[in-house]
Amino acid sequence: MEDGRQRQTLRLAIDGMHCANCAANIEKHYKGTPGVLDVAVNLANNTGQVTFDPSLASVDDMLHVFDDLSFTAEVIPEDAPLVDEARRAREEARAKHDVRVFATALVLTVLIVCLGMVPGWHMGVGSALAGLFVPDPNHVQAMFAGSLVLLALTIPVQFGCGARFYKGAFASLKSGSANMDVLVALGTSIAFLFSLYITFLPVITGDWTGQVAMEINEGMPYYETCAMLITFVLLGKILEARAKGATNQAIEGLMNLTPPVATVLRGGHAEEVPLAHVMVGDEVLVRPGEKVPVDGLVMEGSSEVDESMLTGEPLPTFKGPGDEVTGGTVNTTGSLTVRAQRVGADSTLARIVRAVEEAQGSKAPIQRLADKIASIFVPVILGLALLTFCLWVFVMPQLISNVPLPFGEVLTQALLPAIAVIVVACPCALGLATPTALMVGMGKGAQRGILIKDGEVLERLCHLSGAIFDKTGTITQGAPQVTACTVPERYLPLAAALEAKSEHPLARAVVAYAESQGISKLPSVQGFEAVVGEGVRGVVEGYEVFVGSQVLIDGEAVGGFQFRDEPKPDAVQAIGQLTDAYGVGCYMVTGDAPATAEAVAAEVGIPEGHIFAGVKPIQKAAIVDEVKASAGGEATVIAFVGDGINDAPALAAADVGVAMASGTDVALEAGQVVLMGNHLTDMVTALRLSKATMRKIKQNLFWALIYNCIMIPLAAVGILAPALAGAAMALSSVTVVCNSLLLKRFS
């Protein structure tokens, strides 16, 4: 709950979107619906996320929004993937149908083009047909008969294969907006109606001598223009759909990592069951070469497990009894018996997939520019087309010829450029520029063990100016060892007994040190209490014992421990690259004493003035604010990198919270960016990936805008014919998507 309002987020699978205006139309209707707090519609994967106040609106209210729109939507269950088997089957069936429609349009268009444009074919077919009714037909009669054949071939293309554009245009106008379908339907309809007029002009005027008809394109209609426009656009939509599907291959790959079946041990027998039937507590047999089906604990056996799908780390990890394994990882050498702890939607892999899907459905702030342009795109294009028509009617004839031209010829010269302007403009490319790049970029990150939670975070990360690193478990390995002890020998067992009750890394180091000193049996502890950020206290053998920065017995300090926590092998490299290659100021915060902190900082390359020592966990958020203020205030972007658990306040306070995952505890809720492999160099990779993705988004927006800036004037001056305009429009969105797919080369 934020600002006193309840929040519920609904994921939707939306069918029927064709361009950026479709997505903008849905968002506009949602924003006008009571109770809606936020909405984001993703054209690239045909999904939407709606956040609403359940005290003001219901799920049914959210679905009723589509009653007045030309789209359909269904709720995606919270624990389900965005693309389930049923939806995938529908999309495959739709893709096959689109191919059949295109094939039909292509065959008919080839016939229309040959008959209408190959010299002699139109007259030859027309003469033969007219000769069946009129002996020795004249030129106009032959032209009329040939045009009727073209009309018969064009009608199935225009109103059969092109029916989707009319349906989409009608529904779009009905809902108060105009999308790409309006442009295609309007452009092709003008060409078709004008051709119809030319065809029946002899009937309308009663002039079969050809004097009137010859004034308008020598009596030749433009049916091939209509057919070619529709066919090219259909081809473009097929190519676009296939390219869009390729942007989601990373998610598809993650979803396919878990095996469909698992071998469960029940009643002493191995039984192969569907993965959905495996329950928490079941023991699962994982043979060499098989994928681990569930998150669980190894009960028997030992093996090396390839966890590269989770961490991006190519080297396998040894697993034995008591170790955790993650569903989707690959068992390489030995046989393992695993007790299931998390299955289905609760598994690590399912949570990762869900996090990436939600991130891909989000919007980066840079998309606001495209949304604003898309919202006024179609009306502006129609205005430009009308202006083009008027210029060609009233201005261009005087510039072209000193002799007044027949009105029919003027009308022909004016209509074709206007149609080309209508058809060449494409809002699709603008709508796909951002989401396709986000989908590929975030999917690529997930494959490398880097989860970026939404587009806004990715854009902020691109402008990173400072990074604050927690020391223990982030810069260092999180396994400190005692290097010096001033606690008297007789009190060491008391301190070790108390620390044995704690899970803190320093506590484990004290226990390990006591064991190394020959203390194998520890006394019992009563009244154990962990004091957050301070230490632990309790009663041991009648003494009031407190272990923190010092050891206190009955309130009197008796000594303390010095620890050494080795930096991670890649810490120097990561901090050096951030500082030298990207100009990111690196800081370190720790609860350790200044001397310890300064030693570690010096070893990894963090300057003296960037060290915050003796800081309690609750104070780390204030450190973030302090660094941000000193670095330039709101204009800077500061990241906090921590283990994602006790650093939660600091992660939330930072502009970008980066959580280091710990084993299978991926800290998905703790940070906006999660580094699954616990490698600091992945922080550099995340920064590089964000910059690469933002670069692609800017390239896409540039190409989408420059395309229209170049093509619309070419169409307006008559250089670009309507049929070629349709081909150019179809290929523009394909170009943007293919440019996004180049992100797959990121390494």
Side-chain angles (χ1 to χ4, degrees):
M1 184 182 298
E2 297 179 16
D3 303 325
R5 296 183 294 186
Q6 301 179 46
R7 289 175 177 265
Q8 181 178 343
T9 299
L10 203 65
R11 299 190 303 163
L12 300 171
I14 304 173
D15 284 330
M17 292 193 297
H18 300 142
C19 67
N21 292 73
C22 298
N25 192 23
I26 296 172
E27 290 183 351
K28 181 182 73 173
H29 278 73
Y30 264 115
K31 289 175 181 177
T33 302
V36 173
L37 305 176
D38 191 26
V39 59
V41 176
N42 190 330
L43 174 65
N45 60 7
N46 298 319
T47 63
Q49 290 185 166
V50 183
T51 302
F52 64 97
D53 187 339
S55 66
L56 300 177
S58 66
V59 172
D60 287 340
D61 293 331
M62 297 301 99
L63 293 177
H64 284 321
V65 170
F66 290 89
D67 292 347
D68 298 325
L69 297 173
S70 59
F71 320 102
T72 59
E74 61 182 7
V75 176
I76 303 173
E78 185 177 350
D79 59 349
L82 287 181
V83 183
D84 57 14
E85 291 300 325
R87 190 178 181 209
R88 185 179 289 108
R90 289 199 301 271
E91 290 180 349
E92 289 176 354
R94 186 183 299 115
K96 291 179 180 178
H97 174 265
D98 290 345
V99 170
R100 288 195 297 269
V101 171
F102 166 71
T104 302
L106 180 62
V107 171
L108 292 174
T109 298
V110 169
L111 293 175
I112 293 167
V113 169
C114 291
L115 185 58
M117 302 185 71
V118 175
W121 282 36
H122 186 275
M123 286 298 297
V125 172
S127 296
L129 180 61
L132 298 176
F133 303 94
V134 179
D136 194 21
N138 64 21
H139 179 81
V140 175
Q141 291 169 331
M143 289 285 292
F144 175 71
S147 296
L148 288 180
V149 175
L150 286 173
L151 174 62
L153 292 172
T154 304
I155 286 176
V157 179
Q158 182 77 30
F159 301 105
C161 302
R164 57 179 289 179
F165 302 116
Y166 285 99
K167 292 177 182 177
F170 176 76
S172 177
L173 294 173
K174 183 181 177 183
S175 63
S177 68
N179 62 4
M180 186 201 74
D181 291 335
V182 173
L183 297 178
V184 176
L186 182 62
T188 57
S189 295
I190 292 174
F192 180 82
L193 292 174
F194 185 58
S195 299
L196 202 64
Y197 170 72
I198 294 175
T199 299
F200 287 96
L201 193 59
V203 179
I204 296 171
T205 61
D207 178 19
W208 291 92
T209 64
Q211 293 303 314
V212 177
M214 287 303 176
E215 292 180 359
I216 304 178
N217 194 37
E218 298 183 352
M220 286 293 293
Y222 293 96
Y223 291 120
E224 72 281 351
T225 297
C226 310
M228 290 172 69
L229 277 174
I230 290 175
T231 302
F232 278 135
V233 174
L234 289 175
L235 174 60
K237 300 309 288 184
I238 291 173
L239 296 176
E240 177 188 314
R242 292 187 176 181
K244 282 165 63 178
T247 65
N248 216 19
Q249 284 181 352
I251 286 293
E252 294 284 340
L254 287 174
M255 291 173 61
N256 293 330
L257 283 176
T258 51
V261 297
T263 303
V264 179
L265 301 176
R266 291 174 179 167
H269 300 285
E271 178 183 353
E272 194 172 85
V273 301
L275 185 59
H277 294 175
V278 178
M279 308 293 290
V280 173
D282 281 346
E283 291 193 352
V284 178
L285 177 64
V286 187
R287 301 180 180 90
E290 292 182 343
K291 292 179 180 178
V292 179
V294 296
D295 292 1
L297 197 67
V298 177
M299 305 304 295
E300 295 180 11
S302 60
S303 179
E304 289 188 328
V305 176
D306 180 358
E307 297 182 316
S308 58
M309 53 70 58
L310 184 69
T311 65
E313 176 60 55
L315 297 178
T317 305
F318 178 82
K319 299 290 184 180
D323 291 331
E324 291 188 343
V325 291
T326 306
T329 57
V330 180
N331 180 28
T332 60
T333 54
S335 182
L336 298 175
T337 299
V338 177
R339 177 172 293 166
Q341 293 179 318
R342 292 182 294 273
V343 298
D346 295 328
S347 69
T348 298
L349 185 59
R351 293 165 65 199
I352 291 173
V353 169
R354 195 155 58 244
V356 178
E357 285 178 335
E358 290 173 357
Q360 290 179 335
S362 65
K363 286 191 175 184
I366 195 173
Q367 191 170 347
R368 293 171 187 156
L369 171 64
D371 290 344
K372 288 180 181 178
I373 296 174
S375 64
I376 60 171
F377 190 89
V378 174
V380 168
I381 294 304
L382 294 179
L384 289 175
L386 180 60
L387 177 62
T388 299
F389 179 79
C390 293
L391 288 175
W392 276 91
V393 169
F394 300 110
V395 178
M396 294 302 290
Q398 285 73 29
L399 298 178
I400 295 173
S401 173
N402 294 325
V403 180
L405 299 175
F407 177 74
E409 187 175 341
V410 172
L411 185 64
T412 301
Q413 290 179 345
L415 273 177
L416 292 182
I419 293 171
V421 168
I422 292 173
V423 174
V424 78
C426 181
C428 288
L430 277 173
L432 293 169
T434 300
T436 52
L438 285 179
M439 289 176 69
V440 178
M442 291 177 171
K444 189 68 176 179
Q447 289 178 327
R448 294 187 60 88
I450 301 169
L451 303 185
I452 301 175
K453 295 227 176 157
D454 61 53
E456 186 173 353
V457 170
L458 182 138
E459 186 168 336
R460 284 204 301 267
L461 183 60
C462 178
H463 303 293
L464 187 67
S465 54
I468 306 170
F469 294 88
D470 178 50
K471 183 183 79 69
T472 304
T474 303
I475 288 180
T476 64
Q477 298 187 28
Q481 297 175 338
V482 175
T483 57
C485 173
T486 59
V487 178
E489 185 177 344
R490 65 194 184 97
Y491 291 133
L492 183 58
L494 308 185
L498 198 59
E499 293 284 48
K501 298 289 185 181
S502 173
E503 292 297 324
H504 195 281
L506 295 180
R508 292 196 292 270
V510 170
V511 174
Y513 176 76
E515 291 175 350
S516 71
Q517 299 301 307
I519 301 173
S520 58
K521 186 175 182 181
L522 300 175
S524 60
V525 178
Q526 286 80 40
F528 174 83
E529 180 185 357
V531 183
V532 178
E534 299 283 350
V536 291
R537 66 162 59 101
V539 178
V540 187
E541 294 186 345
Y543 293 100
E544 290 281 348
V545 182
F546 179 87
V547 182
S549 57
Q550 288 185 313
V551 178
L552 279 66
I553 304 296
D554 290 336
E556 182 180 349
V558 298
F561 301 94
Q562 289 185 8
F563 301 91
R564 170 67 177 174
D565 189 4
E566 291 290 334
K568 290 182 177 178
D570 61 347
V572 174
Q573 177 186 355
I575 292 172
Q577 288 180 338
L578 287 172
T579 303
D580 299 334
Y582 298 102
V584 176
C586 293
Y587 303 78
M588 187 181 76
V589 60
T590 178
D592 289 350
T596 303
E598 289 169 4
V600 173
E603 192 170 344
V604 299
I606 293 178
E608 290 184 11
H610 288 190
I611 304 168
F612 299 90
V615 178
K616 298 177 182 179
I618 199 170
Q619 297 173 322
K620 292 179 181 178
I623 297 297
V624 173
D625 295 334
E626 181 180 337
V627 170
K628 189 172 180 65
S630 65
E634 294 299 322
T636 62
V637 176
I638 302 297
F640 185 90
V641 188
D643 63 13
I645 301 172
N646 62 356
D647 294 322
L651 289 167
D655 297 305
V656 179
V658 182
M660 306 289 288
S662 175
T664 54
D665 179 13
V666 295
L668 288 177
E669 305 303 324
Q672 297 163 312
V673 179
V674 181
L675 308 182
M676 304 293 294
N678 286 308
H679 304 305
L680 276 179
T681 47
D682 284 347
M683 177 66 186
V684 182
T685 304
L687 178 58
R688 289 182 53 244
L689 179 62
S690 72
K691 289 182 178 293
T693 305
M694 290 304 300
R695 189 160 53 245
K696 279 298 172 194
I697 290 174
K698 291 175 182 178
Q699 289 174 2
N700 288 345
L701 290 174
F702 170 79
W703 287 117
L705 292 171
I706 201 68
Y707 158 83
N708 284 294
C709 290
I710 293 175
M711 291 299 178
I712 291 174
L714 290 178
V717 299
I719 295 176
L720 196 65
L724 292 179
M729 185 271 281
L731 292 175
S732 63
S733 56
V734 177
T735 301
V736 165
V737 178
C738 290
N739 187 50
S740 295
L741 289 173
L742 293 177
L743 268 174
K744 289 187 174 185
R745 298 180 180 180
F746 177 87
S747 62

